Amino acid sequence: MCGIFGYIGKKENSLEIVIKGLQKLEYRGYDSWGVATEIDGQLFIEKKVGKISEAKTDDFHDKKCQFAIGHTRWATHGGVTDINAHPHFSSDKTIAVVHNGIIENYEELRDELGRDNFISQTDSEVVAQLIAKFRKEMSFKDAVLAAINKLKGRYAIVVMNVGENYLIAARRGSPLIVGVGDGEYFLASDIPAFLEYTQNVNYLDDDEMVIVDGNVEFINLTTGRSVEKRLINIDWKAEGAEKGEYDHYMLKEIMEQKDSILRAINQDTDEIMHIAQQIKKSRGCFFSGCGTAGKVCMAGEYFFSLIANRHVNFAPASEFPVYHHFLRPESLLVVVSQSGETADVLEAMDAAKSKNAKVLSIVNAEGSTIARQSDFSLHIKAGPEKAVASTKAATSQMALLMLIATAMVDELQEGRRQLAEVASKINDMLNPRFLTYIKAVAEKIKDHENCYIIGKAENYPMALEAAIKIQEVSYVHAEGFAAGELKHGPIALVTDGTPCIALVANDEVKNDTINNTIELKARGAHIIGISPEKHEVFDDWIKVPDVGIASPLVNIIPTQLLAYYIAVLRGLDPDMPRNLAKSVTVK
Ligand code: F6R
């Protein structure tokens, strides 16, 4: 949800550095972009509708300054226009601001500052106008502090003031990380934006501000005092965050499942056992996450039931308020998130903490807000996931939930062995022939406007997840159903040739799923069976390895590839689906 980037340091091509950094944050928002710096004592601003990847650094080559700020937008308040793009600036053109999040009291602040002074429809412009107003009476730093005191909502901001050679950034609820280079600093929404310059970072916490010139000073906004920060070295390589030989990040990340699952299960045994004990002793265990991470939680619900004989309550994070009144100190909330910044998940965590319940998080983004605000956090180590559609994070999260379930029944070693075998079978499965075959299946169904996916037991959540993948990247109307639910209504949707994907495993419910598939076929459906074994009901059979209860981990992969190829064959960019952004930091 919007990417922000600021640079200050020895280099004079700050605008080019900012644009390159924003291009690495494009997955966070891609409807418009903008940059600001100071040239000859004047504010220089360039803002444009369109993708930041289309911006040319050469256009800024002769604009020299040692600091600059920039933004790539996913619109919330105000349409997609040049004026609504960030940076926003004060009427006197002294203050420029980039903002990620939502200022909830912006209407009130607009009234206070005089509506006629505003030129955009955004909530963010109030930040620039407010700082400029205070700046008339106090220092830049005090003006930012005074303005922040008046803001309600979630934000990460980076601010510059013409005539002052430093940047100020602050956060509440939206991510902001400081990359610490050699005499230079980077302020960004995510680490890959500056990985080519430094792997050393400081995380800005909520209600903290940072002043960056030749040095860096962190200030707690509540106490007004300086805060000491630990410099953290991030174990990510710049190339890991690039597309490399692949046409799209989505395909690259699907292929990375060859080894990402192995990294996920390579966790400290004592820690996993401790977490398993915490879950066992909890009175009321809740799972929550959003979108794909929510479907992972549902799969976890089945793993916990089938492997550990333990009941858990799942609700998507946006629906979690319905459970708030059940939370008590003995409860445990398990949250799953790739980005570690999802606003609805953070709200669920706040509710749990307010009742003194414990929170365990399973996240990909190390050092993210969700990770840092949890009582226990497991890092899935999937590496940067940049395609908007989540793929490798989901399988790693499922692997970890399955591992925890085995630890709860003292079978951790066996669980680890089984999952390592699953990873090795996925490695074999993801070969070039397999990809060519799936592309050919995608070719057959790409022009249909509807597609249904069925699964039963642990594969039911995967039917829902497959539908999300197909919807979001190919814009085909896809829906997932519990196989047994078809006859209660959805089967009326099926007509001659409707593509229906059946997720089948070699498990106790296999025959039921096959019978439901036969019911679909009898109504004219074109059946794509994803299964370890061939069956005559399948028009197309996608063979997957037989991995028992771990079947969701292998069955989901062909659906990710189908979604990818349908999108590509329909001429779409699967990395940047319309209306979406990675990391949903607004409610
Ligand atoms: C779909 C997708 C989203 C995310 C959801 C939660 O492919 O990526 O549905 O799963 O927005 O995001 P995280 O996992 O970052 O909390």
Side-chain angles (χ1 to χ4, degrees), residues 528-550:
I528 298 152
I530 296 181
S531 163
E533 279 163 19
K534 195 170 181 168
H535 192 282
E536 60 191 12
V537 71
F538 301 153
D539 295 293
D540 288 297
W541 173 42
I542 299 176
K543 185 176 189 317
V544 287
D546 186 355
V547 293
I549 179 83

Side-chain angles (χ1 to χ4, degrees), residues 103 105 109 112 130 133-134 145-152:
I103 307 298
N105 57 337
L109 291 170
E112 201 178 306
L130 201 56
K133 181 189 143 200
F134 287 118
L145 277 170
I148 281 173
N149 272 333
K150 291 188 74 100
L151 302 180
K152 293 201 178 115

Side-chain angles (χ1 to χ4, degrees), residues 290-293 336-340 342 388-390 468-469 472 582 584:
C290 296
T292 293
V336 175
S337 174
Q338 188 288 126
S339 63
T342 304
V388 164
S390 186
I468 299 188
K469 280 300 86 86
E472 69 181 329
K582 193 104 180 141
V584 187

Side-chain angles (χ1 to χ4, degrees), residues 56-355:
K56 295 198 175 48
T57 47
D58 284 357
D59 295 351
F60 299 91
H61 194 61
D62 57 344
K63 306 265 181 305
K64 302 287 182 215
C65 186
Q66 290 177 316
F67 64 87
I69 61 176
H71 186 274
T72 180
R73 182 170 187 241
W74 184 85
T76 53
H77 290 60
V80 180
T81 62
D82 287 354
I83 287 182
N84 286 340
H86 298 223
H88 289 285
F89 51 91
S90 55
S91 306
D92 63 4
K93 295 203 171 159
T94 57
I95 299 289
V97 173
V98 287
H99 166 228
N100 174 20
I102 294 201
I103 307 298
E104 285 162 9
N105 57 337
Y106 80 103
E107 291 283 10
E108 200 182 305
L109 291 170
R110 272 184 177 227
D111 286 340
E112 201 178 306
L113 292 159
R115 290 194 161 260
D116 292 347
N117 292 322
F118 285 82
I119 56 170
S120 79
Q121 287 115 35
T122 65
D123 54 330
S124 312
E125 194 183 347
V126 295
V127 185
Q129 301 284 20
L130 201 56
I131 296 172
K133 181 189 143 200
F134 287 118
R135 179 70 180 97
K136 293 197 171 85
E137 294 148 25
M138 53 189 88
S139 69
F140 177 29
K141 172 185 162 189
D142 289 342
V144 175
L145 277 170
I148 281 173
N149 272 333
K150 291 188 74 100
L151 302 180
K152 293 201 178 115
R154 290 176 179 272
Y155 55 78
I157 52 170
V158 184
V159 195
M160 58 169 277
N161 182 180
V162 172
E164 302 285 2
N165 290 334
Y166 59 100
L167 297 177
I168 298 184
R171 73 162 275 176
R172 177 178 297 153
S174 296
L176 196 62
I177 299 136
V178 184
V180 181
D182 180 13
E184 56 186 1
Y185 296 91
F186 308 85
L187 299 156
S189 308
D190 203 355
I191 294 164
F194 53 72
L195 261 187
E196 68 176 285
Y197 306 103
T198 181
Q199 285 173 262
N200 294 327
V201 305
N202 283 132
Y203 290 103
L204 202 61
D205 281 305
D206 274 350
D207 295 311
E208 281 181 359
M209 176 168 121
V210 60
I211 302 174
V212 202
D213 47 18
N215 291 305
V216 64
E217 184 192 358
F218 293 91
I219 295 168
N220 180 307
L221 290 170
T222 321
T223 63
R225 295 208 193 98
S226 289
V227 184
E228 283 301 313
K229 289 264 170 193
R230 201 163 55 91
L231 197 62
I232 295 170
N233 186 268
I234 296 296
D235 184 23
W236 282 1
K237 299 271 169 297
E239 318 77 83
E242 299 301 329
K243 271 194 296 222
E245 70 201 78
Y246 294 97
D247 290 341
H248 297 99
Y249 284 110
M250 185 176 175
L251 184 58
K252 173 188 178 237
E253 290 159 9
I254 292 172
M255 296 305 282
E256 282 175 356
Q257 292 170 112
K258 285 177 168 195
D259 45 34
S260 52
I261 292 170
L262 269 186
R263 289 199 300 273
I265 58 171
N266 182 16
Q267 303 277 340
D268 181 70
T269 300
D270 292 342
E271 202 176 349
I272 294 284
M273 288 310 293
H274 176 68
I275 282 165
Q277 288 311 322
Q278 296 296 319
I279 296 173
K280 275 165 86 171
K281 82 170 198 222
S282 68
R283 308 265 305 272
C285 180
F286 301 87
F287 279 11
S288 199
C290 296
T292 293
K295 305 302 171 276
V296 166
C297 290
M298 275 181 84
E301 202 180 3
Y302 281 90
F303 290 149
F304 272 51
S305 168
L306 297 168
I307 301 172
N309 195 23
R310 169 76 202 223
H311 171 71
V312 298
N313 308 277
F314 162 71
S318 57
E319 292 294 321
F320 193 69
V322 81
Y323 283 135
H324 284 184
H325 63 285
F326 291 127
L327 292 164
R328 44 186 54 87
E330 316 78 66
S331 315
L332 177 73
L333 171 64
V334 179
V335 293
V336 175
S337 174
Q338 188 288 126
S339 63
E341 301 292 346
T342 304
D344 288 319
V345 176
L346 283 164
E347 189 186 65
M349 291 171 65
D350 286 347
K353 283 189 279 177
S354 72
K355 302 281 183 73

